Amino acid sequence: MLMIDDNLRASRQTAQQRPDLQISFEFFPPKTDAMEEKFWQSVHRLAPLKPRFVSVTYGAGGSTRERTLRMVSRIKAETGVDAAAHLTCVGATRNAVDAVVRGYMEAGINRIVALRGDPPEGVGQPFTPHPDGYQNAADLVAGLNRLGTFDITVAAYPERHPQSSDWRTEIDNLKRKIDAGADRAITQMFFTNADYLRYLERARAAGITAPIVPGIQPIHSFRQIASFAGRCGTTIPAWLAERFEGLDEDPETHALVASAVAAEQVTELLDEGVTEFHIYTHNRSPLALALARMLGRRPEVGAGS
Ligand code: FAD
């Protein structure tokens, strides 16, 4: 019988035994007053877990520019947690993007998640940069570093970006972004840990030493996540689909299975030596809180309220 010694498993260490563990949370800017209330409830529940930062996405083509800025500024002011603003360059001139960056600087935001963004017709369509715009994410990172001093995160794709023709193109592109001055990458969601671990190997073999933080997607709604996965190139393995089969009308069991699936994913990654995690929250706190617990994080009394 195979016995795994618990002492050898990082997931069996206490929080004190792994002080290097870091988490971050991702939110999207709420569209309505009701959504905004839920957003703040979640932020205030997750902030006391002392994330390294909380990030707020940038709607397709810059559609949430004002809201992204408002949310990151308030998160920082109200919770004391560092906030990162996402920024895309699709469909905008350099001057327009630079003006948004100056707005972030004026608001005291110096963490940016720098992205190219998707063409308005969808990720399946070819990308054409604005004639006076940044060409891609690597170009945007270089532009940011000309404008000021930022902590910059970029995107990485353990199953390759749908527009990367092969692994060489994928990894070369990540390297260009890091060489342009990015501090770390966060991955697209993935459900097969081996894909992430192979990606890490490929990146390290190409001389990329920056952290490549796994983006963990708790499955709040299997139907929604499966549909999004199809659009962004993430595979839904057959075993995962099977676990959620028939649960659309059974939210309680769905939530329990989602929690178990996400816990299994982070436990395996911890045991593989991963020390940094980025959690996609979809502006909800329960699964993110449970996952943070699995990673040894408990709220610090008095923080984030
Ligand atoms: P890039 O790194 O520029 O590259 C995208 C593709 O183009 C790759 O296939 C690359 O190989 C290819 N490519 C780039 N330059 C070249 C070149 N010179 N020659 C050949 N090929 C090249 N989208 C939003 O709209 N808002 C968000 O807030 C947002 N947040 C995200 C957060 C994370 C963590 C992730 C993983 C994605 C996020 N996205 C967001 C989605 C992202 O905008 C899309 O995935 C987009 O299609 C690619 O952006 P990128 O920054 O990875 O692009």
Side-chain angles (χ1 to χ4, degrees), residues 57-58 86 115-118 136-137 157 161 163-164 173 177:
T57 60
Y58 197 74
H86 291 220
L115 305 141
R116 184 197 75 180
D118 287 324
N136 49 38
Y157 301 88
H161 185 276
Q163 287 166 342
S164 287
N173 186 52
K177 296 195 272 193

Side-chain angles (χ1 to χ4, degrees), residues 56 67-76 83-85 104 109:
V56 181
R67 274 180 287 144
T68 300
L69 174 60
R70 188 156 56 85
M71 296 302 140
V72 286
S73 307
R74 255 186 80 180
I75 289 172
K76 207 169 166 169
Y104 289 155
I109 303 298

Side-chain angles (χ1 to χ4, degrees), residues 88-111:
T88 68
C89 54
V90 57
T93 62
R94 280 170 192 252
N95 283 345
V97 173
D98 292 356
V100 177
V101 175
R102 289 198 186 91
Y104 289 155
M105 289 163 83
E106 280 160 24
I109 303 298
N110 68 346
R111 283 186 183 269

Side-chain angles (χ1 to χ4, degrees), residues 171 175 198-209:
I171 299 296
K175 189 155 187 338
R198 266 193 296 269
Y199 188 91
L200 268 190
E201 267 176 27
R202 287 186 168 105
R204 300 299 178 232
I208 298 169
T209 54

